[in-house]
Amino acid sequence: MNRLYHFPLSPFCRKVRLTLAEKKIEVELVEERFWEQNPEFLRRNPAGKVPVLRVDGRFLSESQAICEWLEDTVPTPPLMPRDADGRYEVRRICAWFDDKFHEEVTAKLVYERLKVGGRTPDARNIKSGSQRIKYHLDYMAWLLDQRRWLAGDAMTLADFAAAAHISALDYVSDVDWNRHAVIKDWYAKIKSRPAFRSILSDQIPGQAPARHYSDLDF
Amino acid sequence: MNRLYHFPLSPFCRKVRLTLAEKKIEVELVEERFWEQNPEFLRRNPAGKVPVLRVDGRFLSESQAICEWLEDTVPTPPLMPRDADGRYEVRRICAWFDDKFHEEVTAKLVYERLKVGGRTPDARNIKSGSQRIKYHLDYMAWLLDQRRWLAGDAMTLADFAAAAHISALDYVSDVDWNRHAVIKDWYAKIKSRPAFRSILSDQIPGQAPARHYSDLDF
C-alpha cells in the first residue's frame, strides 16, 4: 500500500494529504518525527523533511513536486487549470503560502506553540506572527473578492496550500474568523469536503485542538 | 520591452535569467534593492521579493512559477522532460536547491559576505555554510555519477536552479572545484552556454568577483 510519512500539523504534509484524498488515492499515514533525523528516514529522503510519499516502492519528496506529479499522473479531478496563465497563478499562490506565509506566520505561531522539535515558545515570534497573519488574511480576502476560489473560479492546489496552513493555525486558535466573511465562507466550503476529514481528526498529544476546530459550523 | 526586476547575485533571479536567455526572450534588467521595500516595488509584487518579470504589462513573481510559465508558453528549447516522472525529478531538485541549499548554504555564505540588506557577517553562519556546502557537493556528485545532467540525460531547469546558486557562491570564492571532477565538468558545460554570459558579467560595487569567476577554463 502507498504510505505517507508525515507530521500531523505540517502544512506541507496537509497539502499532499488533501491532494491524495481529493484524487481518491489511499495511503497509510505514518507519523515521522522528522527533526530527530532518524537514519532510516534520511535514507528515504536525504533532505530530511516531511512529507515523503512511498508509492510503488519509490520515495517521493518535496510537497509541490509531489502534488504536481499526482496531478500529472492522476488527472481526475483536476486541481490545476489547463492554460498556462491559470497554472502560473496556482503555482504563484502555492509559493506565497509555502514560502512567505510559512515563514511569517505558520513557523512563528504553530511551530512555536506546539514546540515542534523541542523549541521553546518565544513571545516575540508569537507577537510577530499574530501581527503578520492580519496582512495575509487581508490579501486572501482581496483575492476572494474577485474570484470564487483563491486562484480563479475553480478549486485548485492553491486552495489546498492555503487551507493546509490555515487549518494548522486554526488548530491552535490563531485564525480570527470575524475579520473577513469571505474567508470564512471559503474555508467552510473547503472544510466540508470529504478530503478534509482526516485533517479534522488530527490530534497532537498534550495539545487539544481549538473547540471549533473540527466543527463545520464554526 | 519585457523587464526583469532583479538583484545580481540572487539565485532565484539567476534561475529566471538563465531560463529567459536559453529561450531567447530579451529582457531589460532593472536592479531592485528589494530589502528596502520601496512602495512602488511592493505594488508590483506584494510579496516584496525579486525576481519580478514584467511581460505585456503584467507582473509575474515567484521564480519557479515564472520558469514553469515560460516553459508552458515558450516550449523551445524544452527545459523540462515530457513525462511525469521526469518532471517530478526536475521539480524536486529545483526545490532542493531553492529551499534546503538556499537556507543551509547560499543565505549563510553569499548574503553574509555581501552584507545583503545591511546585515553584518556572522562568523558562525560562514562556518556553518562552509561545512554544509561539502555535503551538498557530495550529493550533486552522487547524482552526476549516474546522469549526464542533474535531473537526467538532458539539461533542465534543475541544472539552472543549481547553477544559479553555485555561480553566486563562486562569485564569493566559496566553491571548492577540486572536490569532485564531475561537478567541475558539469559547471564548465553550463558556464560556456551563451545564456550564462550575462551572469558572468555581473559586478557588485565594492566586491569584485573571484579571479576565476568568469573564466571558462577555471
Side-chain angles (χ1 to χ4, degrees), chain B residues 1-17 20 26-35 38-46 48-63 66 202:
Chain B
M1 190 177 181
N2 300 324
R3 186 180 281 178
L4 186 74
Y5 298 89
H6 82 125
F7 182 72
L9 287 197
S10 154
F12 306 106
C13 298
R14 288 183 163 210
K15 181 177 65 173
V16 173
R17 287 163 70 192
L20 288 164
E26 285 193 27
V27 289
E28 177 192 0
L29 291 178
V30 178
E31 197 171 322
E32 181 67 51
R33 295 165 68 85
F34 60 94
W35 58 87
N38 173 310
E40 201 197 328
F41 178 64
L42 288 176
R43 261 199 303 283
R44 290 191 292 264
N45 175 19
K49 301 189 294 188
V50 286
V52 172
L53 178 64
R54 191 190 71 176
V55 58
D56 301 331
R58 296 165 58 196
F59 292 99
L60 309 184
S61 59
E62 295 296 347
S63 71
I66 294 173
D202 276 346

Side-chain angles (χ1 to χ4, degrees), chain A residues 46-47 49 58-62 65-66 68-69 72-73 84-85 87-88 91-92 95-96 99-100 135 139, chain B residues 46-47 49 58-62 65 68-69 72-73 84-85 87-88 91-92 95-96 99-100 135 139:
Chain A
K49 299 189 299 187
R58 296 166 58 198
F59 292 98
L60 309 184
S61 59
E62 296 295 347
I66 294 173
E68 296 240 17
W69 182 82
D72 281 347
T73 51
D85 287 356
R87 297 167 84 78
Y88 159 75
R91 290 175 178 133
R92 180 187 75 81
W96 176 288
D99 181 20
K100 187 177 177 72
Y135 164 80
Y139 181 61
Chain B
K49 301 189 294 188
R58 296 165 58 196
F59 292 99
L60 309 184
S61 59
E62 295 296 347
E68 296 240 17
W69 182 82
D72 281 346
T73 52
D85 287 355
R87 298 167 84 78
Y88 159 76
R91 290 176 178 132
R92 181 187 75 80
W96 176 287
D99 182 20
K100 188 177 175 73
Y135 164 80
Y139 181 60

Side-chain angles (χ1 to χ4, degrees), chain A:
Chain A
M1 188 175 183
N2 300 324
R3 184 179 282 179
L4 186 73
Y5 299 89
H6 82 124
F7 183 72
L9 286 198
S10 154
F12 307 106
C13 298
R14 288 183 162 210
K15 181 177 65 172
V16 172
R17 288 163 70 191
L18 288 168
T19 304
L20 288 163
E22 195 71 25
K23 291 182 180 288
K24 302 200 167 37
I25 303 165
E26 285 192 28
V27 289
E28 176 191 1
L29 291 177
V30 178
E31 197 172 322
E32 181 67 52
R33 296 166 66 85
F34 60 95
W35 59 87
E36 292 175 356
Q37 301 280 295
N38 172 310
E40 200 196 327
F41 178 64
L42 288 176
R43 261 200 302 282
R44 290 191 291 265
N45 175 20
K49 299 189 299 187
V50 284
V52 172
L53 178 64
R54 189 189 73 175
V55 57
D56 302 331
R58 296 166 58 198
F59 292 98
L60 309 184
S61 59
E62 296 295 347
S63 69
Q64 193 66 18
I66 294 173
C67 288
E68 296 240 17
W69 182 82
L70 290 168
E71 181 69 9
D72 281 347
T73 51
V74 185
T76 308
L79 293 175
M80 297 273 278
R82 290 193 163 271
D83 64 299
D85 287 356
R87 297 167 84 78
Y88 159 75
E89 186 64 353
V90 170
R91 290 175 178 133
R92 180 187 75 81
I93 294 175
C94 287
W96 176 288
F97 282 94
D98 286 347
D99 181 20
K100 187 177 177 72
F101 189 97
H102 176 256
E103 183 183 324
E104 297 180 357
V105 182
T106 312
K108 298 231 159 94
L109 293 175
V110 179
Y111 301 171
E112 293 283 329
R113 293 201 200 278
L114 295 182
K115 305 176 194 136
V116 170
R119 66 175 83 185
T120 320
D122 179 328
R124 282 167 308 183
N125 283 337
I126 306 255
K127 191 174 168 197
S128 158
S130 305
Q131 278 302 318
R132 283 306 279 173
I133 192 175
K134 294 178 191 167
Y135 164 80
H136 282 280
L137 292 176
D138 294 350
Y139 181 61
M140 285 178 76
W142 179 79
L143 291 174
L144 290 168
D145 278 338
Q146 307 165 60
R147 307 162 169 181
R148 287 189 59 218
W149 295 91
L150 281 174
D153 286 332
M155 188 186 71
T156 64
L157 278 182
D159 298 288
F160 286 177
H165 286 270
I166 294 288
S167 62
L169 287 155
D170 195 37
Y171 188 99
V172 292
S173 287
D174 274 319
V175 183
D176 174 5
W177 293 114
N178 295 318
R179 193 168 175 91
H180 295 287
V182 73
I183 296 182
K184 192 171 176 181
D185 291 348
W186 164 84
Y187 191 60
K189 276 193 292 183
I190 209 161
K191 197 174 179 180
S192 64
R193 299 188 77 80
F196 225 79
R197 274 184 211 142
S198 145
I199 281 176
L200 296 181
S201 67
D202 277 346
Q203 290 279 347
I204 305 284
Q207 173 103 24
R211 213 173 304 161
H212 63 271
Y213 173 71
S214 59
D215 197 343
L216 296 183
D217 279 321
F218 53 106

Side-chain angles (χ1 to χ4, degrees), chain B residues 135-163:
Chain B
Y135 164 80
H136 283 280
L137 292 176
D138 293 350
Y139 181 60
M140 285 178 76
W142 179 78
L143 290 174
L144 289 168
D145 278 338
Q146 307 166 59
R147 307 163 171 182
R148 285 191 58 218
W149 295 91
L150 281 174
D153 285 331
M155 186 186 71
T156 65
L157 279 181
D159 298 288
F160 286 178

